[in-house]
């Protein structure tokens, strides 16, 4: 039942995702054109970041759509890993874009070009409005869905980039100091790189079946061992199908061989859901005698 509720939550916020995706996509094109016309590297830098927002929103929409597909004979876990694969693609593109911006900025420090600060200011201000609208659309779902929360944080981050570009445009208008443009571009690029690395690490952790972030495997083991019906826990593995949906497998040895294995299994599964939000638990429960086998003289 919990899995069904999770999918309902994803579908519930699909419409705001589509609106945010449409607004951001349209303005991305306008911002790229405006950056080329005004010759503003900071504006192009912000456009590159907005491009990653479009990708992030597309990934979120794709994840919502794919979450509706049930597992089949070849994909017994469904399509949950597509989210991590998309994040790797997104992260790789972010690294390339940030690297190019930093490289281009070095050349502009040596020979600052003329920048149309008025056009830069107008376009960045419009971008800020688009970001604020998108944030408003996604805010409600950000508290219920990690998928929507990721998209919300991307747009929130781009909003800060737009504020930076607006600040640079004002500085150029008031002082004529065109070096403000590449400086802001570098700051945006340097700010993007750590976020990109975090994104890649998270995606890599999912694909490598690492223990989900924020979960302590020792605490999971201790909780299971504290159960009165459990003597030992072997082969404990915890991983995640996507950014969420933790999965656990373990081999349990009964403390009391007279206790029904199904009772212990169900009790442990309920406790794991309550304590760690682990709803997919596969537990092999055996009596100690069954594992050790008969003794020989």
């Amino acid at each position: 039942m919990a899995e069904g509720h999770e999918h309902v939550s994803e579908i519930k916020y699909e419409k705001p995702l589509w609106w945010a995706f449409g607004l951001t996509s349209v303005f991305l094109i306008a911002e790229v054109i405006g950056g080329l016309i005004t010759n503003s590297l900071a504006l192009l830098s912000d456009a590159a970041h907005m491009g990653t927002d479009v990708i992030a929103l597309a990934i979120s929409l794709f994840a919502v759509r794919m979450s509706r597909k049930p597992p089949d004979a070849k994909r017994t876990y469904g399509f949950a890993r597509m989210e991590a694969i998309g994040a790797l693609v997104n992260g790789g593109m972010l690294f390339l874009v940030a690297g190019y911006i930093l490289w281009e900025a070095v050349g502009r420090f040596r020979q600052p070009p003329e920048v149309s600060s008025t056009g830069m200011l107008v376009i960045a201000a419009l971008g800020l409005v688009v970001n604020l609208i998108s944030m408003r659309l996604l805010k409600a779902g950000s508290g219920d869905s990690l998928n929507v929360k990721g998209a919300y944080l991307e747009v929130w981050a781009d909003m800060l980039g737009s504020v930076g570009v607006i600040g640079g445009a004002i500085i150029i208008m008031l002082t004529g100091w065109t070096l403000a443009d590449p400086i802001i571009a570098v700051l945006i690029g340097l700010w993007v790189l750590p976020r990109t690395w975090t994104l890649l690490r998270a995606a890599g952790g999912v694909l490598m079946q690492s223990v989900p972030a924020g979960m302590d495997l020792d605490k999971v083991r201790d909780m299971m061992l504290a159960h009165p019906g459990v003597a030992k826990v072997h082969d404990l593995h915890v991983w995640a199908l996507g950014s969420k949906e933790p999965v656990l497998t373990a081999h349990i040895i009964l403390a009391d061989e007279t206790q029904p294995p199904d009772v212990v299994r169900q009790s442990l599964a309920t406790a794991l859901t309550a304590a760690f939000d682990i709803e997919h638990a596969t537990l092999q429960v055996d009596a100690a005698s069954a594992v050790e086998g008969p003794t020989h003289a």
Side-chain angles (χ1 to χ4, degrees), residues 134-244:
S134 297
M135 288 173 63
R136 178 68 177 175
L137 289 169
L138 300 175
K139 184 175 177 58
S142 65
D144 296 335
S145 166
L146 289 178
N147 187 32
V148 179
K149 183 178 181 179
Y152 173 77
L153 291 177
E154 281 285 344
V155 175
W156 184 87
D158 190 49
M159 182 270 295
L160 295 180
S162 296
V163 171
V165 176
I166 290 172
I170 293 174
I171 291 173
I172 295 173
M173 289 179 67
L174 296 177
T175 67
W177 190 48
T178 56
L179 276 177
D181 180 64
I183 288 174
I184 290 173
V186 168
L187 291 176
I188 294 174
L190 292 177
W191 184 76
V192 167
L193 286 175
R195 294 175 59 249
T196 303
W197 177 243
T198 300
L199 176 66
L200 290 174
R201 284 185 59 186
V206 171
L207 294 176
M208 293 299 293
Q209 296 184 315
S210 302
V211 176
M215 185 171 294
D216 189 328
L217 190 64
D218 290 333
K219 289 183 179 180
V220 175
R221 187 189 303 274
D222 291 343
M223 186 276 287
M224 297 175 73
L225 287 172
H227 191 283
V230 176
K232 295 180 181 179
V233 177
H234 296 291
D235 300 324
L236 175 61
H237 302 281
V238 183
W239 69 98
L241 296 178
S243 61
K244 48 189 179 297

Side-chain angles (χ1 to χ4, degrees), residues 48 51-52 55 86-99 192 196 200:
T52 65
I55 295 173
L88 281 178
V89 175
N90 191 0
M93 292 180 63
L94 269 168
F95 259 113
L96 291 175
V97 169
V192 167
T196 303
L200 290 174

